Amino acid sequence: MSKDAFTLTRPDGKSMSLPVLKGTIGPDVIDIGQLYKDQGVFTFDPGFVATGSCKSDITFIDGDEGVLLYRGYPVEQLAKHSSFIEVAYLLLYGDLPDKDQLAAFDTSIRRHTMLNEGMLRFFNGFRYDAHPMAMLSAVVGSMSAYYHDTMNVNDTAQHDIFTHRILAKLPTIAAAAYKLTAGQPFIYPRNDLNYTENMLHMFFAVPAEPYEINSIAAQALDLLFILHADHEQNCSTSTVRMAGSSGANPYSAIAAGIAALWGPAHGGANEAVLRMLEQIGDAKNIPKFVARAKDKSDPFRLMGFGHRVYKNFDPRATIIREMCHKVLAQMGRTDTPLLDLAIKLEEFALKDEYFIEKDLYPNVDFYSGIIYKALGIPTSMFTVMFAIGRTVGWVAHWREMITDPAARISRPRQLYTGPKNRDYVALEKR
Ligand code: CMC
């Protein structure tokens, strides 16, 4: 293989030269765009294990080294020095904002937090026990029925209004879903509060008494949102790009992303981790559950372990584990059974031959639920919290996709394995 082209030789000896594309960092990519036209064959890659679906400037992951960069900045530096709103600006617009840009962006987000009252009435139609993710995807999808002025995907001026609107309203929608499950009245947003303080206010304030915002809780949420903000072409982001590639309005594309995030192999894993830890119950049961995770005849997997891209520590998990200790200590929790159990489970699995051989490490979802639980957020809301953080990543990718002149509708092909041509048989003859 030359550095700039890859030669594909067919069994009959004919060959084709495939261009090799180079990114700024990361492995080279073979461009197979002309393969079917020239050779009459498709490539086969279920789960897209070896397929790059697009060019992107937003996020870079080196899974072997455990590196995650947003627009070139290591996530560790952003987690230490930045805020979620600043990171959101960075992901959306490509560079860190100056003071005026940050202030203007922050003000705009604060001024878009209210929902159309008609959308609030939507919540009355859900059953009392509806999962908050079901409500989130339905209500975000319904935004396209309320905000018609941002539906023209070809008008870039509308992209900013859509962006600010959806970022600002996601916590309000999430809080409305939470209040419904808690059986409490909806609490309106307060624009004098910052993003995470306002969210805590909408979640936990009640009309009967004043609510004091816990600054540690607000900081912890801000950090979690930074760590969840983007992760290149993951399942939900690819779903947003794919849905949006047809020219569907952006609210529908984000609703599709929320639906994809809900699955336990993706964002639903944070909820599944907590339920798993509760099920394990005691450190003495760890060997039994790890044995089940290794047993191919048992569908049980160690939730919060393993990743398609990271074959080393997930850098986000390392930061969240540290944050877990800090949050629990600062909140005065000395008895931390779930955290203790999680640490013991991690230690046990990391020494196990199966997990070593398959490069299975804790991922972002392993420790995040322990923080959410300490903050009083119910388990069924964990994936909603992930969605709030990830929305900015989805939006950044949607904007990149929709303004890319080379973008086309996403339309993969298949290896057909069904029946060959056959003739219709009349019902009485079958
Ligand atoms: N427990 C036990 N075995 C596992 C696990 C696990 N958590 N994860 C992977 N394996 C095994 C798997 O059975 C397979 O074994 P074999 O080679 O013998 O068939 C091997 O490791 C490779 O796994 P895979 O399923 O082919 O890998 P994938 O890239 O398709 O899946 C994954 C990645 C994250 C879906 C998977 O590791 C998993 O199901 N983990 C548990 C769920 C989870 O924590 N998801 C959150 C992911 S991070 C946040 C996010 O994306 O939202």
Side-chain angles (χ1 to χ4, degrees):
M1 181 176 133
S2 104
K3 278 202 161 154
D4 302 315
F6 184 90
T7 306
L8 185 77
T9 308
R10 292 175 57 122
D12 62 9
K14 284 187 192 157
S15 65
M16 177 191 182
S17 179
L18 298 166
V20 172
L21 309 179
K22 290 178 183 306
T24 38
I25 32 176
D28 291 347
V29 172
I30 302 168
D31 180 352
I32 55 155
Q34 293 300 311
L35 187 65
Y36 178 65
K37 208 170 158 202
D38 282 13
Q39 302 291 323
V41 289
F42 297 131
T43 54
F44 184 62
D45 182 21
F48 311 120
V49 181
T51 297
S53 59
C54 60
K55 288 185 185 172
S56 182
D57 295 347
I58 303 171
T59 290
F60 174 76
I61 306 172
D62 182 333
D64 296 323
E65 297 297 323
V67 170
L68 171 60
L69 310 177
Y70 293 163
R71 301 281 189 184
Y73 295 98
V75 74
E76 291 84 356
Q77 289 184 23
L78 295 169
K80 197 166 173 194
H81 303 295
S82 193
S83 67
F84 174 65
I85 284 295
E86 189 180 50
V87 168
Y89 185 100
L90 171 70
L91 287 168
L92 291 165
Y93 300 111
D95 287 305
L96 286 168
D98 64 23
K99 273 189 186 160
D100 291 345
Q101 288 167 327
L102 183 61
F105 182 65
D106 184 56
T107 303
S108 177
I109 300 297
R110 288 180 194 231
R111 296 239 166 100
H112 283 88
T113 51
M114 281 176 62
L115 299 183
N116 182 298
E117 288 290 308
M119 278 178 70
L120 274 182
R121 284 193 291 278
F122 220 75
F123 283 89
N124 296 336
F126 290 111
R127 257 176 70 128
Y128 69 98
D129 58 353
H131 194 286
M133 280 299 279
M135 294 191 253
L136 193 73
S137 61
V139 176
V140 168
S142 82
M143 287 176 84
S144 54
Y146 288 92
Y147 302 108
H148 306 286
D149 55 342
T150 44
M151 303 272 278
N152 181 354
V153 299
N154 300 317
D155 179 353
T156 50
Q158 295 187 15
H159 295 178
D160 266 346
I161 309 168
F162 149 72
T163 300
H164 294 205
R165 207 174 249 164
I166 196 149
L167 283 186
K169 293 185 197 315
L170 239 280
T172 317
I173 297 171
Y178 169 61
K179 287 300 197 189
L180 186 87
T181 46
Q184 292 177 4
F186 173 73
I187 299 289
Y188 282 90
R190 268 181 50 192
N191 294 355
D192 60 319
L193 299 175
N194 74 25
Y195 199 76
T196 45
E197 289 168 347
N198 178 45
M199 221 196 71
L200 286 167
H201 158 76
M202 290 188 292
F203 269 52
F204 297 119
V206 288
E209 58 187 34
Y211 172 71
E212 206 177 309
I213 290 149
N214 181 322
S215 61
I216 299 161
Q219 278 170 32
L221 276 186
D222 203 70
L223 177 75
L224 286 169
F225 290 159
I226 291 175
L227 298 177
H228 283 98
D230 193 41
H231 216 224
E232 54 120 300
Q233 309 310 322
N234 59 85
C235 175
S236 55
T237 302
S238 300
T239 302
V240 169
R241 279 184 177 264
M242 192 165 204
S245 76
S246 70
N249 75 74
Y251 300 105
S252 306
I254 301 295
I258 293 170
L261 185 75
W262 193 4
H266 192 10
N270 54 13
E271 180 176 340
V273 168
L274 212 87
R275 298 202 191 282
M276 175 188 76
L277 289 173
E278 284 165 352
Q279 207 189 349
I280 296 174
D282 191 288
K284 73 174 187 308
N285 299 324
I286 289 175
K288 194 173 74 192
F289 278 88
V290 171
R292 280 188 60 194
K294 297 190 296 185
D295 178 358
K296 294 285 170 209
S297 63
D298 187 331
F300 176 79
R301 277 189 168 199
L302 218 53
M303 299 314 285
F305 259 79
H307 198 274
R308 170 61 62 79
V309 186
Y310 292 120
K311 302 302 167 198
N312 197 328
F313 272 96
D314 178 338
R316 304 166 300 172
T318 311
I319 300 171
I320 295 178
R321 185 176 39 194
E322 273 171 33
M323 189 67 183
C324 253
H325 287 287
K326 210 166 132 191
V327 168
L328 293 171
Q330 285 179 331
M331 293 187 118
R333 307 269 169 90
T334 45
D335 180 26
T336 56
L338 277 182
L339 178 60
D340 299 343
L341 186 61
I343 291 169
K344 285 190 181 128
L345 177 59
E346 176 187 331
E347 279 169 6
F348 189 92
L350 289 178
K351 283 189 203 131
D352 189 286
E353 212 32 60
Y354 172 98
F355 286 83
I356 295 169
E357 190 195 309
K358 295 187 189 300
D359 296 321
L360 300 171
Y361 290 86
N363 60 47
V364 68
D365 290 321
F366 192 66
Y367 285 104
S368 59
I370 296 169
I371 301 186
Y372 292 137
K373 194 173 163 67
L375 304 185
I377 294 168
T379 311
S380 64
M381 285 296 292
F382 290 1
T383 313
V384 171
M385 306 308 289
F386 191 151
I388 295 174
R390 182 55 57 85
T391 297
V392 67
W394 291 330
V395 172
H397 283 272
W398 178 83
R399 291 170 66 121
E400 189 177 63
M401 181 274 305
I402 210 74
T403 52
D404 178 357
R408 303 167 74 180
I409 186 167
S410 290
R411 181 30 174 116
R413 301 303 301 268
Q414 62 174 7
L415 175 67
Y416 177 68
T417 54
K420 290 187 177 165
N421 260 10
R422 47 184 175 168
D423 289 325
Y424 180 80
V425 179
L427 187 58
E428 58 280 12
K429 290 195 178 153
R430 276 177 245 158

